[in-house]
Structure formats: structure tokens, C-alpha cells
Amino acid sequence: MRTSVGIIGAGPAGLLLAHLLRQAGIENVVLENRTRDYVEHRQRAGVLEQNTVDVLRSSGAGERMDRLGLRHDGIELRFAREGHRVDFPSHTGGRSVMVYAQTEVVKDLIAISEQQGGTIRFEAEALAIEKADTGSPLIRYRHEGAEHTLECDIVVACDGFHGIGRQSMPQSLLRTWSHEYPFAWLGILADVPPSCDELIYANHERGFALHSMRSPQVSRLYLQVAPDEDLNAWPDDRIWAELDARFELPGWSLEHGPITEKGITPMRSFVAEPLRYGRLFLAGDAAHIVPPTGAKGLNLAAADATLLAAAIIQAHDKGDESLLDAYSETALRRVWRAEHFSYFMTTMLHRDPHADDFAHRLQLSNLRYIASSEAAAASLAENYVGLPVG
Ligand SMILES: Cc1cc2nc3c(=O)[nH]c(=O)nc-3n(C[C@H](O)[C@H](O)[C@H](O)COP(=O)(O)OP(=O)(O)OC[C@H]3O[C@@H](n4cnc5c(N)ncnc54)[C@H](O)[C@@H]3O)c2cc1C
């Protein structure tokens, strides 16, 4: 089989890239090793920054998001048993975020692909990327028990942290940076209306907690736990009691309800450079990971896809490869900003079990600064709603 752009991975990066290219009339094929059902139900991120909302909307993939998503104009920082709101529009020239689950974005992009005759091959595992340093790279993949070859002009690996894309780059070319955190998140989905209108980020002496939501009927809540935490040690009653303690605020209470899903998410920062080798490009988690505290993982994947789509379209339509040549550097500048913001939010809000009380006092001082300074609040707001792509 032959196509113009071969894309590995049907996560947000691969699906959005395929969609944007298809809108521009550029043929592409997505290979995804999981089933459609698995990809559509994998619980992950839930906050779309303004750029992600804009690109979905302007490319015709935002209709369901605009109907079902919840626009949020701020977040609450809760510490020392007080709540402080950070407003977004007033600090960012009117920008905001949308609470709309990654699973829904993925469903929308798959549905549009289906309507428009796009090609997504599920249960197709990419095995190798070959000839990336030539003008005709190819992907070897396994589908329905047989091995196949997809010949392309360009290969884009949107295959997540454990994919083959990054591993296919010459190791002498690749530089990587990583940071591990001494905690993880225990996340739950609960069939109970959210107890708040906006996300609450709580810094508490017992550890961090986050109150988020998926819809007016479904709450998403997280607790900081140890990286090697045993999920079996957390029956539902213990989870609710711990959430009650960490969100403690006079006059406020957390609604409880049936927990429908539980999981532990590790916290890690990682960046690989460059994002290109010959005709092979990396996008999304294949190249970088952030801890979820800044809500940036899905949004970085969408930003990479947006940048790369514009670059491929310019090369395809005008024979001008300047944007393709600049892709790695342009994307990485934004990636490192998001890496810093995610690290900043994570270290300001979590209890590091190895840190002393001095460190905790510094966290509280920083939180008070954001709560009382327009400049500090504006900096958080600008990063949270997302800096411009490109
Ligand atoms: C458990 C978990 C929870 C998360 N929670 C949050 C959160 O709360 N907030 C937040 O902002 N971010 C969160 N993230 C991060 C966010 O979900 C990711 O940043 C986002 O999914 C990145 O999108 P992507 O398209 O780059 O990669 P992915 O979504 O990982 O997609 C990669 C795809 O490639 C496929 N693939 C891999 N290898 C192959 C192969 N060889 N052949 C074919 N296909 C292949 C995979 O099956 C997958 O579908 C979470 C991530 C995880 C893992």
C-alpha cells in the first residue's frame, strides 16, 4: 500500500494530524495497534486549552465539543483551608479552557474520519520504520496475522511514549531529558455531579488533591499517592474520606457517589530532541511527557499535530519545506515552556515526602503570591489557557 503521510497511532496527535491533512486534501493512513473500542474508552486527560478548542472548531471537528463541553473561565487554588480563584479571561485577553474528555475528542475525530472516507487501520501494529533517511520511507506493520508494507512520503510517529517511532531514530542523534517525581495520582471517575463549577487544585499537608469533572453528572477526582501505591489498599470509603480531608474548607462539602473507575497514573517529565530524522517526525507523547498537573499532555499533542499539519501542507502545496525544517525547533520551544509550567504546578501543589517543612512554607508563599498578585495570577492563567502555537 502507498500513501502520502503514514501516521502511527490513533491517539489525539495522530487523529488530529490525519484530520487536518485530510481537510487539505492530503492522503494519509493511520495505523493503530489497539481496537477502536479500546482507543475510544481509554480514560485520560479532560482539559482542552484555547488553542486545542480553536483548532478543533476551525477544522470542523468541534460541533459535539461545543454542545457537550463545559467552558471554564478559571480554577480554584485551595490551601491553608482557604479557596482562591484565578480568573482566565481577565488575565489573557478573553481566553479560557474547555472541560471535554480526551475520549470524546478521540471519538469525534474517528467519527469524522469515517464520514469522510479516511483510513484508520485498527489492530494494525507498526513493527518497523525503514528508509527514514530517504525520500521514500516505509512502515512495516502486522494486520490480521499478516505482515504488510506502507510506503509513504513522510512518516509521523504519534505512537505515545512506548511506541517504536522514537526508538527508530538513530540513538546517536537523539538527546533525552527526564525527571521522576516521588508520587503518583490515584484517579477516580464517580457518578456524582461535581461539587464545584471549576477545577479545584488543593495543596494540603496530607498531599495534593484535584477536583475535576467530565460532565454535569460525572466527577473526576485525584489524590496524590506513593508511586508504588497498591490500588487494593484504597476501598471507596477510604478514597472519599481522604478527599474530604484534603479539600477541607469551612462551609463547603464534597458530594460522594458510586465510583465507576479507579486507576493510578505515574508522574514523569520527559523530552526527546530532535523531533525529526530525515522523513520521520515525532509528535505528542512519542517525544515528550508531562505530569498531568498542568493539563498539558493532550494539548501538547494537539499543538504538535497543528504545527506539523501546517508544515506538511505547505511542503505539499507549494514545495516549500521551510516549516518542515523548522518543526522540531518550533515545537520544542513550546514543549519546554509546557514542561516548565507542568513542573511548576506539580512541585507547588504536591507534598514531596523527602522535602522539609521549609519547602512547604515556600509552596504556601508562592500560592499566596498567586492569590494576591495580578502579575503572578496572569502568568499562571496565560500558561494554563495555553501560549500561542507556532
Ligand atoms: C493513564 C494516563 C492518564 C493521563 N491523564 C492525563 C490527565 O489527566 N491530564 C492530561 O493533561 N494528560 C493526561 N495524560 C496524558 C495525555 O493523555 C497524553 O499526553 C495524550 O494521550 C497524548 O496523545 P498522543 O496522541 O501523543 O499519544 P497517545 O494518546 O498515547 O496515543 C498513541 C497511540 O499509539 C498507539 N501505538 C503505540 N505503539 C503503536 C504501534 N507500534 N503501532 C500502532 N499503534 C501504536 C497506541 O495504542 C495509542 O493509541 C494521561 C496519560 C496516561 C497514560
Side-chain angles (χ1 to χ4, degrees), residues 7-15 31-34 38-39 42-47 102 106 124-127 141 158-165 185 210 214 220 222 264-266 283-302:
I7 298 170
I8 308 173
L15 290 170
L31 303 174
E32 166 58 52
N33 65 357
R34 301 288 193 160
Y38 181 90
V39 169
R42 187 169 42 189
Q43 281 301 329
R44 289 189 171 177
V47 177
Q102 177 168 333
V106 163
E125 184 193 4
L127 303 170
Y141 68 98
C158 303
D159 51 354
F161 185 67
H162 301 288
I164 62 161
W185 278 11
L210 171 61
R214 285 292 183 258
R220 179 94 167 127
Y222 299 93
I264 299 217
T265 305
D285 277 17
H288 40 77
I289 299 285
V290 286
T293 327
K296 289 287 168 243
L298 158 65
N299 293 301
L300 278 181

Side-chain angles (χ1 to χ4, degrees), residues 99-120:
V99 170
Y100 188 60
Q102 177 168 333
T103 45
E104 304 308 311
V105 174
V106 163
K107 279 182 207 160
D108 294 348
L109 291 169
I110 292 174
I112 291 189
S113 169
E114 205 169 33
Q115 285 156 22
Q116 297 181 346
T119 309
I120 305 174

Side-chain angles (χ1 to χ4, degrees), residues 46-358:
V47 177
L48 308 185
E49 63 180 37
Q50 184 75 56
N51 302 300
T52 308
V53 170
D54 291 346
V55 71
L56 289 171
R57 209 175 260 157
S58 64
S59 66
E63 186 272 326
R64 217 167 133 259
M65 170 191 76
D66 278 328
R67 214 160 18 90
L68 304 177
L70 310 167
R71 180 190 154 117
H72 279 203
D73 283 340
I75 55 169
E76 180 183 325
L77 297 175
R78 191 171 286 189
F79 57 95
R81 288 154 190 80
E82 290 171 21
H84 299 270
R85 182 169 186 271
V86 178
D87 187 75
F88 296 152
S90 63
H91 288 114
T92 61
R95 291 159 74 80
S96 63
V97 296
M98 180 82 86
V99 170
Y100 188 60
Q102 177 168 333
T103 45
E104 304 308 311
V105 174
V106 163
K107 279 182 207 160
D108 294 348
L109 291 169
I110 292 174
I112 291 189
S113 169
E114 205 169 33
Q115 285 156 22
Q116 297 181 346
T119 309
I120 305 174
R121 199 150 278 190
F122 290 101
E123 297 179 77
E125 184 193 4
L127 303 170
I129 301 163
E130 294 173 10
K131 294 166 65 182
D133 56 344
T134 72
S136 42
L138 58 87
I139 307 169
R140 292 201 185 284
Y141 68 98
R142 189 185 299 117
H143 184 54
E144 294 175 345
E147 281 196 19
H148 307 268
T149 301
L150 178 63
E151 294 173 7
C152 324
D153 302 322
I154 285 177
V155 172
V156 186
C158 303
D159 51 354
F161 185 67
H162 301 288
I164 62 161
R166 197 174 65 251
Q167 269 99 47
S168 303
M169 312 257 294
Q171 296 308 299
S172 56
L173 178 70
L174 212 58
R175 292 191 68 194
T176 61
W177 292 263
S178 63
H179 183 81
E180 299 289 330
Y181 299 84
F183 32 75
W185 278 11
L186 189 166
I188 61 161
L189 267 183
D191 277 342
V192 59
S195 306
C196 48
D197 294 331
E198 294 174 340
L199 272 65
I200 304 172
Y201 287 81
N203 173 314
H204 191 274
E205 49 272 26
R206 297 179 69 88
F208 169 76
L210 171 61
H211 189 334
S212 179
M213 59 286 291
R214 285 292 183 258
S215 72
Q217 294 79 35
V218 177
S219 297
R220 179 94 167 127
L221 296 123
Y222 299 93
L223 284 170
Q224 173 187 344
V225 293
D228 57 353
E229 196 73 39
D230 177 9
L231 203 51
N232 294 320
W234 287 87
D236 295 4
D237 288 351
R238 182 179 175 203
I239 292 176
W240 287 117
E242 194 60 34
L243 287 165
D244 283 338
R246 295 190 195 182
F247 285 118
E248 181 189 358
L249 180 75
W252 187 89
S253 63
L254 181 67
E255 294 297 323
H256 298 189
I259 295 177
T260 55
E261 204 172 309
K262 283 183 210 176
I264 299 217
T265 305
M267 309 278 276
R268 183 192 295 129
S269 297
F270 174 86
V271 182
E273 292 189 16
L275 307 185
R276 174 185 193 174
Y277 169 62
R279 309 305 280 177
L280 165 64
F281 294 82
L282 305 180
D285 277 17
H288 40 77
I289 299 285
V290 286
T293 327
K296 289 287 168 243
L298 158 65
N299 293 301
L300 278 181
D304 285 357
T306 307
L307 279 172
L308 198 48
I312 294 172
I313 292 165
Q314 179 171 292
H316 182 268
D317 291 356
K318 300 190 179 141
D320 175 356
E321 299 221 342
S322 56
L323 286 181
L324 269 186
D325 292 340
Y327 165 70
S328 183
E329 205 185 317
T330 314
L332 282 166
R333 217 174 296 135
R334 208 169 177 285
V335 166
W336 277 110
R337 177 88 296 281
E339 288 286 344
H340 176 265
F341 179 66
S342 304
Y343 175 88
F344 159 77
M345 289 287 279
T346 302
T347 51
M348 179 174 68
L349 289 162
H350 289 71
R351 263 306 177 107
D352 181 339
H354 311 302
D356 54 19
D357 198 44
F358 177 76

